Amino acid sequence: MRVKTLMRTRFSTVSDDTPLNEARLALAREQTDTIPVVRAGALIGLLRACDIDALGPSTVPSLATHDWAWSSSSLTVRAAAIADALTLGPEASVHDAIRLLVSQDLDAVPVVESASIVGMVTTRDLLGVLLDRLDSAHRTGLDRVLVVVDFDEGTAAAVAAGVALARQHRARLTLLHVLQARWRSLLWPGRPREMLDWARREERVGRSRDLVALVPRESGLEVGTLIATGGPGAAIVAEASRLAADLLVVGSRPHRPFLGRDLTNELVERAPCPVLVVRPGSALGTEESVGRAGA
Amino acid sequence: MVMLEDLLVVLDGQVPGERIVGWIRRLCRTSGARVRLLVVREVEGTVWAGTRPVAFASQLEDAARLEGLAYLDGVAGRLEGSGIQVSSDVRFGPSIATVLDVARDSRAQLVALAASGDAGRRDALGRLARQLLHRAPIAVLVARARDQRAA
Amino acid sequence: MRVHDCHLTPPLVLAPATSLSAAGRLIALQGVSHAVVVDHGRLVGIISTRAIGAAQPSAATTLTMGEVRGRLTQIVVADVMTRDPLVVSPTTPLQDAVRLMRDARVNVLVVCDQDRVRGLLTANDLLRVLLATAPIAANP
């Protein structure tokens, strides 16, 4: 694995004449402890938060009172930065990067090509790589599959795929339907509140039954059903988090491209787990004995 | 019963995009499956130094193909030992159209990728992920490279 | 893998009443970056070289060098340490420790076993684990 596949290519820099208090703000904003110092695009040093702290007034109140004369505005990055920072080339191995980070006790190292800085390799990103390695070696199979059901043309495909995967992994399968706020149209003066509550309850019960009917008993699966309310995207993401779903299965909605695409995109952008979008009629979306999708 | 047996996994050569690999391993471990790893490269035409051609597209492609296959070999190592049969493919051309072509022509039941958009921006999906979600003829599995747990 | 499978940094243990100047010297002697602070057998905090450096006055201090040195012998580790450091146990799964370190944005975790400090797990220790588990690349 080469450093160029791991480095961050978007990062902030400071120049050597940046005032120190501005540089400190930049470090806080980027949530980093190390930032490269550049002049005309070329790397000339590294600025670390600990070096700024050491230069500044004491953190101990009884000593800090004697630091009243310290003015951060006159000091620039030049006073705190390390020159001659060791760097890596883009073809360096991740092994080299780790050895450098550990031996120099840095939390980020610049990647330089032809004297200009092209990326930063950070300890934080390397910890992410370690996490991926440890996680994927540890778990096997899916534990919980969550299928979003809208009772539309995408439903049968989504349920079929969810059932297939849950059986393959002996995972728990949950079908989720988000009620749409349709009852507002029933509200007009004189309509008793009890009728509205009753109508809502009836819809919940009816939809629950419809969900159960979607999965054939022969599948041998224990299926949970959930009815939620609210903005569909937010409600689905919330349930996926609550259930610690490993996979969210959604049917694609070819006949309502605009709305369907928006919700699908929202789910993919916000879901706590990967999202599987299944097309009706495609290989994964067919199952011989799936129940009727209902109206 | 439908089994997940044939998958197409799209990688971009960057480590964040490899986040999908852990999920594929987890998805396929119980059954074994055929997984095709795909990297698409857009290679420029002839490289000129002044008026002299220095490298032709085909030479650049050959070098890029070797590099791509070596990269995919490294990734394939993470899927081995789980009964998964891995093949590697390096293609050239515009990424969206090429992935769609491969998806259409292969027997894959789904195409998978880790979208690595800029975290924090509202549009956190890469263009490729969005186009696949909209246009792929097969199921699409999207993980997020950042801000989502690993497999 | 669990935390105890990982090489841990042996801890330097300081009492809360250790002076800052003594602490600085001890930490430098051991060549570590952090020390744990233990009070009557109980972990109460952690102190880093960075925190000790930040406690030093600036070049514009109105104190003399002698006065600064004197003050630093009176300021103790308890004034400067981070209280309630993040703790993991030796049996914690390693990925949970990595996640904790990354999400909390710290670079050291204290490894405790029934209130006894067993060691420190630093970001460098975890990077060494990655070094050991990274596969050998096809290309050298």
Side-chain angles (χ1 to χ4, degrees):
Chain A
M1 196 196 293
R2 307 222 169 266
V3 151
K4 67 183 178 189
T5 64
L6 177 60
M7 64 188 188
R8 294 182 180 211
T9 50
R10 294 168 59 97
F11 50 89
S12 285
T13 61
V14 291
S15 72
D16 59 341
D17 51 17
T18 304
L20 212 54
N21 46 3
E22 245 180 71
R24 187 194 231 130
L25 284 174
L27 282 166
R29 215 174 28 238
E30 299 296 311
Q31 294 186 312
T32 181
D33 280 343
T34 308
I35 197 166
V37 183
V38 299
R39 191 195 295 148
L43 178 73
I44 55 168
L46 270 186
L47 178 66
R48 300 182 307 173
C50 58
D51 294 325
I52 300 182
D53 289 346
L55 269 185
S58 173
T59 50
V60 181
S62 60
L63 287 176
T65 53
H66 297 273
D67 273 319
W68 55 265
W70 189 78
S71 159
S72 57
S73 57
S74 56
L75 278 181
T76 64
V77 161
R78 204 174 293 123
I82 313 169
D84 303 323
L86 290 177
T87 63
L88 293 164
E91 300 296 327
S93 72
V94 166
H95 284 220
D96 296 332
I98 294 174
R99 282 195 211 101
L100 197 56
L101 285 163
V102 169
S103 63
Q104 302 295 306
D105 211 19
L106 292 168
D107 68 352
V109 171
V111 182
V112 166
E113 190 170 35
S114 320
S116 44
I117 179 170
V118 294
M120 293 287 283
V121 179
T122 67
T123 297
R124 193 147 188 272
D125 290 340
L126 285 168
L127 288 183
V129 173
L130 177 59
L131 201 54
D132 280 356
R133 298 273 166 87
L134 291 172
D135 275 344
S136 63
H138 168 69
R139 262 177 281 222
T140 156
L142 302 176
D143 297 318
R144 167 87 84 169
V145 177
L146 180 62
V147 179
V148 176
V149 172
D150 253 357
F151 299 107
D152 63 3
E153 52 281 323
T155 289
V159 172
V163 167
L165 286 168
R167 283 167 87 180
Q168 206 175 303
H169 292 262
R170 279 192 265 269
R172 278 181 304 180
L173 178 65
T174 304
L175 303 183
L176 167 67
H177 175 67
V178 183
L179 286 177
Q180 293 176 333
R182 279 186 313 215
W183 299 109
R184 247 170 264 144
S185 57
L186 290 182
L187 268 179
W188 60 77
R191 193 114 194 154
R193 202 185 148 138
E194 295 80 52
M195 277 214 70
L196 195 58
D197 289 344
W198 172 87
R200 282 200 187 115
R201 267 198 309 274
E202 281 301 296
E203 191 192 15
R204 237 175 215 269
V205 168
R207 285 312 196 190
S208 281
R209 267 200 302 257
D210 292 338
L211 284 179
V212 172
L214 285 174
V215 179
R217 238 167 305 154
E218 310 85 74
S219 68
L221 281 175
E222 225 185 81
V223 181
T225 60
L226 263 182
I227 305 286
T229 52
I236 295 167
V237 168
E239 291 300 330
S241 300
R242 193 178 62 82
L243 294 170
D246 298 315
L247 187 67
L248 187 61
V249 185
V250 175
S252 74
R253 304 141 73 115
H255 298 298
R256 273 184 287 174
F258 180 73
L259 285 174
R261 215 185 315 160
D262 264 2
L263 175 62
T264 304
N265 280 355
E266 188 187 346
L267 290 178
V268 175
E269 282 177 25
R270 295 177 52 197
C273 59
V275 178
L276 178 66
V277 180
V278 189
R279 306 240 180 270
S282 68
L284 260 191
T286 53
E287 175 67 85
E288 283 168 325
S289 52
V290 74
R292 284 190 318 134
Chain B
M1 176 174 90
V2 174
M3 295 263 304
L4 197 55
E5 288 171 325
D6 221 300
L7 292 81
L8 175 62
V9 178
V10 183
L11 297 164
D12 62 0
Q14 297 294 307
V15 166
E18 291 170 25
R19 178 63 72 86
I20 192 65
V21 175
W23 284 107
I24 297 297
R25 187 188 164 99
R26 211 170 147 185
L27 261 180
C28 297
R29 218 170 183 186
T30 48
S31 60
R34 282 181 299 276
V35 171
R36 187 197 311 202
L37 302 176
L38 172 67
V39 148
V40 181
R41 293 260 181 264
E42 312 199 14
V43 169
E44 315 246 322
T46 310
V47 177
W48 299 85
T51 54
R52 206 165 45 84
V54 167
F56 294 102
S58 57
Q59 291 172 301
L60 294 170
E61 266 187 30
D62 286 343
R65 175 172 287 110
L66 285 177
E67 197 200 328
L69 286 173
Y71 168 74
L72 290 178
D73 264 346
V75 175
R78 289 168 60 184
L79 290 171
E80 256 133 43
S82 351
I84 303 175
Q85 295 164 281
V86 186
S87 63
S88 298
D89 199 353
V90 180
R91 298 279 180 115
F92 297 93
S95 38
I96 293 164
T98 308
V99 172
L100 284 172
D101 282 344
V102 176
R104 257 177 235 123
D105 298 338
S106 71
R107 287 180 310 167
Q109 297 160 299
L110 71 77
V111 55
L113 77 168
S116 45
D118 286 317
R121 276 180 47 204
R122 278 193 60 226
D123 166 24
L125 288 186
R127 278 185 67 231
L128 179 60
R130 257 181 288 124
Q131 287 295 307
L132 285 181
L133 285 169
H134 182 43
R135 294 161 62 184
I138 55 180
V140 183
L141 176 68
V142 186
R144 281 201 311 280
R146 300 187 212 270
D147 299 326
Q148 191 183 71
R149 64 186 169 100
Chain C
M1 277 188 84
R2 298 192 181 268
V3 165
H4 59 56
D5 293 320
C6 198
H7 165 267
L8 301 177
T9 307
L12 172 62
V13 179
L14 299 173
T18 308
S19 75
L20 218 54
S21 40
R25 273 199 313 273
L26 283 166
I27 289 180
L29 261 170
Q30 290 269 54
V32 295
S33 52
H34 290 82
V36 294
V37 184
V38 169
D39 186 11
H40 291 96
R42 217 169 43 89
L43 173 72
V44 291
I46 194 167
I47 186 164
S48 64
T49 49
R50 178 175 169 178
I52 295 179
Q56 312 289 323
S58 72
T61 185
T62 56
L63 299 167
T64 66
M65 288 273 289
E67 281 171 334
V68 168
R69 267 199 299 275
R71 297 289 181 109
L72 286 178
T73 57
Q74 288 166 338
I75 293 167
V76 295
V77 146
D79 298 328
V80 169
M81 69 185 182
T82 306
R83 291 176 185 275
D84 300 320
L86 291 175
V87 169
V88 292
S89 90
T91 53
T92 300
L94 197 59
Q95 62 257 40
D96 292 346
V98 177
R99 197 171 284 122
L100 181 61
M101 190 180 285
R102 193 194 52 170
D103 295 346
R105 295 180 182 277
V106 296
N107 50 20
V108 66
L109 298 173
V110 184
V111 182
C112 281
D113 182 13
Q114 292 166 340
D115 289 334
R116 292 197 49 196
V117 176
R118 293 287 175 197
L120 294 179
L121 182 67
T122 66
N124 282 355
D125 294 326
L126 291 173
L127 288 182
R128 287 192 196 95
V129 172
L130 185 56
L131 210 51
T133 62
I136 299 162
N139 273 352

